[in-house]
Amino acid sequence: QIQLVQSGPELKKPGESVKISCKASGYTFTDYAMHWVKQAPGKGLKWMGWINTYTGKPTYADDFKGRFVFSLEASASTANLQISNLKNEDTATYFCARSILYFDYWGQGVMVTVSS
Amino acid sequence: NIVMTQSPKSMSISVGDRVTMNCKASQNVGNNIAWYQQKPGQSPKLLIYYASNRYTGVPDRFTGGGYGTDFTLTINSVQAEDAAFYYCQRIYNSPNTFGAGTKLELK
């Protein structure tokens, strides 16, 4: 069956970096784009951008340009999100979601806590 | 950039009632809208795509409608398990902006 399994929770200090993974199974990885969505505690969903899993080209939403990097380990059917120079406002759950135009499968989410 | 405005922010409904929530796009998006349901501690689940197409396995009490800038999600005969947040999203073209959500509570 189709699954997106994300890595575990992270506790980081301001200024540090974090890398979150999203491992896909049950379908051909390169047939679907992978999107990333942020949800701060008690808040709604915020689209961060997406990566073309065939070409590796990332596209970032305006608010996520600079410190955020989407990457692939295509041979492992895995998409990654790296956030550098972490800030308190990066505290959130980060979801990956596959898309052919709409987001039909989602990862379970990764809670990233940034605290000194 | 496109803005998706959902209303109301919250609603309190009794089991068996019919409820309609709204999503307004700041520009014409055709039928390129999806609706998601999210319960606390869970990932969002796709309900509706292309404004009115029910996703596989979604109960037929969920109905999406609209075109252009104004969209609705209607739940006929609300069940207890429908208590959740509901989000609309612009799909097909970037940015894939979400609305702020509507919280559905059961009385």
Side-chain angles (χ1 to χ4, degrees), chain B:
Chain B
N1 271 341
I2 194 165
V3 176
M4 308 298 293
T5 303
Q6 289 188 245
S7 62
K9 286 187 177 165
S10 66
M11 46 202 328
S12 184
I13 303 294
S14 297
V15 170
D17 283 355
R18 181 173 187 254
V19 62
T20 296
M21 57 192 77
N22 304 288
C23 175
K24 187 173 184 67
S26 61
Q27 58 188 259
N28 189 336
V29 295
N31 68 340
N32 293 318
I33 288 290
W35 289 91
Y36 302 85
Q37 176 194 67
Q38 187 183 31
K39 297 179 182 179
Q42 296 186 17
S43 307
K45 288 183 169 59
L46 176 66
L47 296 175
I48 302 286
Y49 61 96
Y50 295 142
S52 60
N53 293 270
R54 202 175 295 116
Y55 184 61
T56 306
V58 174
D60 59 9
R61 63 180 182 273
F62 291 90
T63 303
Y67 188 88
T69 60
D70 293 286
F71 301 88
T72 58
L73 176 68
T74 297
I75 312 173
N76 288 301
S77 189
V78 169
Q79 302 299 300
E81 63 264 30
D82 299 336
F85 283 89
Y86 293 84
Y87 296 93
C88 65
Q89 182 200 25
R90 184 257 197 116
I91 59 174
Y92 189 77
N93 288 316
S94 287
N96 298 141
T97 308
F98 289 93
T102 292
K103 183 179 183 180
L104 179 63
E105 295 177 299
L106 279 294
K107 289 179 183 170

Side-chain angles (χ1 to χ4, degrees), chain A residues 4 6 21-22 34-37 94-98 105-107:
Chain A
L4 299 178
Q6 297 186 242
S21 66
C22 171
M34 194 68 77
H35 291 246
W36 291 93
V37 176
Y94 293 87
F95 295 99
C96 60
R98 84 163 194 178
Y105 282 86
W106 294 64

